[in-house]
Amino acid sequence: EAGVVQSPRYKIIEKKQPVAFWCNPISGHNTLYWYLQNLGQGPELLIRYENEEAVDDSQLPKDRFSAERLKGVDSTLKIQPAELGDSAVYLCASSLGPGKAYEQYFGPGTRLTVT
Amino acid sequence: TQLLEQSPQFLSIQEGENLTVYCNSSSVFSSLQWYRQEPGEGPVLLVTVVTGGEVKKLKRLTFQFGDARKDSSLHITAAQPGDTGLYLCAGAGETSYDKVIFGPGTSLSVIP
């Protein structure tokens, strides 16, 4: 069974430029998460989807971050414009659905560097 | 606001030694998970504990959930270099069980 796929694995951009990350969850997993992880820290939730609906986006900086999950499968996270403080690893995870949120499967992450 | 604390933050030990890392909170969790994350990879789920006082074993790793479901420990026996990584605990809320929060992690280095 294929795991959670993320691309790109690495991205270097200049500040004020836009950037997008893509995630393909495990087949059949209805819940999808985007996390931000700073070096040596735990993941921090940005947004959670149940199918195509964003059910928790309270920690998403909506002035510059946006996300979508068309058709309830793949998802894209966008930052526009990027700031120096956005440099971090962006992790995507998926789980079967409500009641199974504690069993999350993570992708390898996208390491973003903003210069 | 629910918070998870982990200790120690960093741990460097020799191969063959035993160690214990801790995960603590003032909040009650419906379940608690332990993940291991290697450099350049995403976290990998090791175990889920649900019942207060529960003990689970995974080869040389022993996980325990506190009686009050507010804390947990991970004990590694005879650590090996392959155990090196960031150990994260995560808790699912007692009332909002779909909301999972992560601790800051314990970075373990096992020296050959």
Side-chain angles (χ1 to χ4, degrees), chain A residues 5 14 20 33 37 71 108 113:
Chain A
V5 180
E14 294 183 347
Y33 314 77
Q37 186 177 30
K71 301 181 181 179
T113 301

Side-chain angles (χ1 to χ4, degrees), chain B:
Chain B
T1 303
Q2 293 180 313
L3 290 174
L4 278 170
E5 299 179 340
Q6 291 189 245
S7 61
Q9 185 178 359
F10 300 98
L11 188 56
S12 181
I13 62 171
Q14 294 291 132
E15 181 177 0
E17 293 183 353
N18 301 331
L19 67 115
T20 302
V21 297
Y22 301 92
C23 174
N24 297 286
S25 176
S26 59
S27 302
V28 177
F29 293 98
S30 62
S31 68
L32 195 138
Q33 297 75 48
W34 284 93
Y35 291 79
R36 179 170 63 212
Q37 184 176 21
E38 297 184 12
E41 299 299 326
V44 175
L45 180 65
L46 296 174
V47 76
T48 295
V49 286
V50 179
T51 305
E54 182 177 4
V55 176
K56 282 191 174 180
K57 292 190 175 183
L58 183 65
K59 297 183 179 178
R60 294 176 292 102
L61 279 61
T62 302
F63 306 86
Q64 183 163 6
F65 201 12
D67 290 342
R69 293 185 287 136
K70 293 182 178 182
D71 54 84
S72 181
S73 64
L74 160 60
H75 181 80
I76 301 178
T77 303
Q80 299 177 1
D83 296 326
T84 293
L86 181 68
Y87 287 81
L88 296 160
C89 66
E94 186 176 36
T95 54
S96 55
Y97 59 86
D98 284 332
K99 197 168 187 69
V100 174
I101 62 168
F102 282 80
T106 291
S107 180
L108 172 64
S109 178
V110 181
I111 303 167

Side-chain angles (χ1 to χ4, degrees), chain A residues 25-64:
Chain A
I26 292 173
S27 177
H29 281 197
N30 298 322
T31 307
L32 184 146
Y33 314 77
W34 283 104
Y35 288 92
L36 177 154
Q37 186 177 30
N38 289 305
L39 186 64
Q41 296 296 315
E44 300 171 24
L45 181 68
L46 290 172
I47 189 167
R48 173 166 66 97
Y49 283 94
E50 296 292 346
N51 298 302
E52 64 274 10
E53 181 183 1
V55 296
D56 185 355
D57 64 355
S58 57
Q59 301 302 311
L60 188 72
K62 298 181 184 64
D63 57 337
R64 297 184 300 107

